[in-house]
Amino acid sequence: MAHINLENDLPGIRGLMAYSPQTAKPLNELAEIMLRDDNNTLTRGERELIGTYVSYLNDCFFCQNVHGSLAGHYLGCDIPEIDAIKKEPSLTNIPDKLKALLAVAAKVQEGGRHVTADVIENAKDAGATDKEIHDTVLIAAAFCMYNRYVDGLATWSPKDRQFYVERAPKRAEEGYIDFDLYNNTIS
Amino acid sequence: MAYIKLNNQLPGITGLLENRPDTGDHIRALTQVLLRGESSLTEMERELIATLVSYRNECRFCTSAHAATVKALGGDDELLDKVFHDADNAPVSDKMKALLNIAAKVQKLGKEVKEEDVERAKKHGATDVEIHDTVLIAALFCLYNRYVDGLGTYRPEDPGYYEKLAQRLVTVGYMRPREGVIPVAETTYR
């Protein structure tokens, strides 16, 4: 049970959105631009993967499964493949630039001051642009917020990981700002 | 100098938000609701939460800016010093001590907030909304602090800079001025 009475039984951040629509609006609008805006050289799948990885490092079950399933949906990966990337990106066959950006994200998760000039240089050497580095840092920082919001208020989350996989195609289609919060069914 | 090229020479978070208003304006809107919107927590109480989290994240720009804002709202160095190092003996209400304790847990990780932390706050009269807002303010500053330091932004040394910034945050708030951000000091920072 959540730490406060949310007056609804929606899981994870959805329960918080219903409880506090005033803050949900900018939170969702931020997610929409960061993760889905088409004016971006990082694919939606790559950006969801950054969010997934940071959520994993923050041990946030709800967020790493919602976004891991979305990343899998976009990138054509199943749960074990996404899990392998979360566990050790450098050992997988993802592009070097993405590996370098995930390394930046991991430092952001530890704390802003952990991001050294070296780790940024590595990303630039692997071909990352300033905008891609910016977006990686902001997505990672934003998931340090979303994860703390979801877990800091002890929201509930479905334990069956298939639940998230089944809903990913619909979540990918509807995005973060134009969806029916209360409709939690598949398709 | 920041790790990436910005479209301006503004320091800290101001430079980042101005560089990318597409994301920045939503971050500003969230901050305005949480720190300046209608609330049973005072603006100073909410700024104290922001300052404590920034201090614990070792973000010097944000700590200086929000400490100056706490002072502009009537706080002093002694209050800040206690909140940073010995919050349970700070000159704030018992409810506020319990909320600062929750904020400090959020700074570590969401899961660090335990039932007893929340019970303590409720026992001292904290409402569900106050607990919600405390958690989200603390979480938001975990974003801000990482954004500011993760991109290696410029941090002015002059305390006068933060005093002027604080005046703006107290009188104008967090939304982007329609004409764009004007530097709070005439000096061009690099």
Side-chain angles (χ1 to χ4, degrees), chain B residues 2-176:
Chain B
Y3 292 146
I4 59 169
K5 195 171 170 354
L6 304 177
N7 67 0
N8 64 74
Q9 301 202 340
L10 297 162
I13 190 66
T14 317
L16 294 179
L17 296 176
E18 193 63 11
N19 184 56
R20 286 292 297 276
D22 60 335
T23 43
D25 285 356
H26 301 306
I27 300 171
R28 285 177 178 279
L30 177 61
T31 314
Q32 181 70 16
V33 169
L34 282 169
L35 295 187
R36 294 293 179 271
E38 207 173 295
S39 172
S40 49
L41 296 174
T42 66
E43 289 185 11
M44 184 162 85
E45 286 172 330
R46 289 176 275 166
E47 289 286 347
L48 267 181
I49 293 166
T51 314
L52 173 62
V53 171
S54 300
Y55 177 81
R56 295 180 75 108
N57 279 327
E58 297 179 64
C59 181
R60 292 166 68 193
F61 181 89
C62 297
T63 306
S64 300
H66 295 278
T69 308
V70 166
K71 287 160 83 170
L73 290 165
D76 57 25
D77 284 321
E78 197 193 326
L79 167 67
L80 288 162
D81 188 62
K82 281 284 185 197
V83 165
F84 292 160
H85 303 113
D86 185 16
D88 282 350
N89 290 306
V92 296
S93 67
D94 287 341
K95 179 181 84 179
M96 198 54 207
K97 286 175 193 170
L99 293 176
L100 289 170
N101 171 61
I102 289 175
K105 298 289 181 80
V106 171
Q107 184 270 331
K108 286 189 209 166
L109 207 59
K111 283 187 171 167
E112 292 293 322
V113 182
K114 307 292 185 197
E115 208 170 320
E116 58 258 34
D117 299 315
V118 176
E119 281 315 308
R120 175 182 160 191
K122 288 182 182 173
K123 195 181 86 186
H124 290 296
T127 64
D128 279 6
V129 172
E130 288 171 344
I131 292 166
H132 168 274
D133 289 0
T134 297
V135 169
L136 188 49
I137 292 169
L140 172 61
F141 278 82
C142 287
L143 177 159
Y144 269 132
N145 301 156
R146 283 169 169 79
Y147 194 23
V148 165
D149 283 339
L151 286 169
T153 60
Y154 173 72
R155 181 180 60 83
E157 297 289 344
D158 174 17
Y161 170 81
Y162 299 98
E163 286 163 21
K164 287 179 190 146
L165 179 58
Q167 279 309 317
R168 177 191 283 169
L169 296 180
V170 168
T171 55
V172 181
Y174 287 94
M175 300 303 277
R176 182 173 185 267

Side-chain angles (χ1 to χ4, degrees), chain A residues 3 108 124 130 134 148-149, chain B residues 3 5 106 122 132 147:
Chain A
H3 283 321
V108 171
K124 288 184 182 176
D130 276 13
H134 169 276
R148 280 168 171 78
Y149 187 33
Chain B
Y3 292 146
K5 195 171 170 354
V106 171
K122 288 182 182 173
H132 168 274
Y147 194 23

Side-chain angles (χ1 to χ4, degrees), chain A residues 86-114:
Chain A
K86 288 192 302 197
K87 205 168 166 207
E88 189 47 77
S90 64
L91 298 180
T92 62
N93 62 0
I94 59 172
D96 284 345
K97 184 178 81 178
L98 188 54
K99 284 181 187 171
L101 291 175
L102 289 175
V104 171
K107 291 295 179 186
V108 171
Q109 186 270 340
E110 284 182 59
R113 287 164 60 96
H114 292 259

